[in-house]
Amino acid sequence: MPLSMVSAGEENVIKKVGGKEETRKFLEGLGFVTGSVVTVISQTGGNMIVNVKDSRVAIGRDMANKIMV
């Protein structure tokens, strides 16, 4: 399921990062790589704050939809 469907506080493992090549590279640069653990900290108005590789990152719903957990 996409990361945008995950509840806050849940720890999940990234299965796949989709989207165009440039989008995948951008997300991989932020730490969203297959096999890494991601935790949703909070969701507000479609935006999410997530913890990935010991960093907090804010992403929009469109980006979260491309990350499968």
Side-chain angles (χ1 to χ4, degrees), residues 3-64:
L3 184 60
S4 58
M5 303 292 288
V6 174
S7 302
E10 278 186 49
E11 201 171 84
N12 290 280
V13 177
I14 297 174
K15 304 283 190 227
K16 179 183 168 208
V17 178
K20 295 180 182 176
E21 179 69 21
E22 62 188 46
T23 304
R24 286 197 309 269
K25 292 284 186 201
F26 174 75
L27 290 170
E28 286 173 7
L30 292 175
F32 295 97
V33 292
T34 303
S36 60
V37 176
V38 62
T39 306
V40 176
I41 305 298
S42 66
Q43 289 181 310
T44 310
N47 296 322
M48 307 177 82
I49 298 175
V50 297
N51 195 27
V52 63
K53 295 205 173 192
D54 297 326
S55 299
R56 285 191 177 192
V57 181
I59 57 173
R61 180 174 293 278
D62 58 333
M63 288 289 185

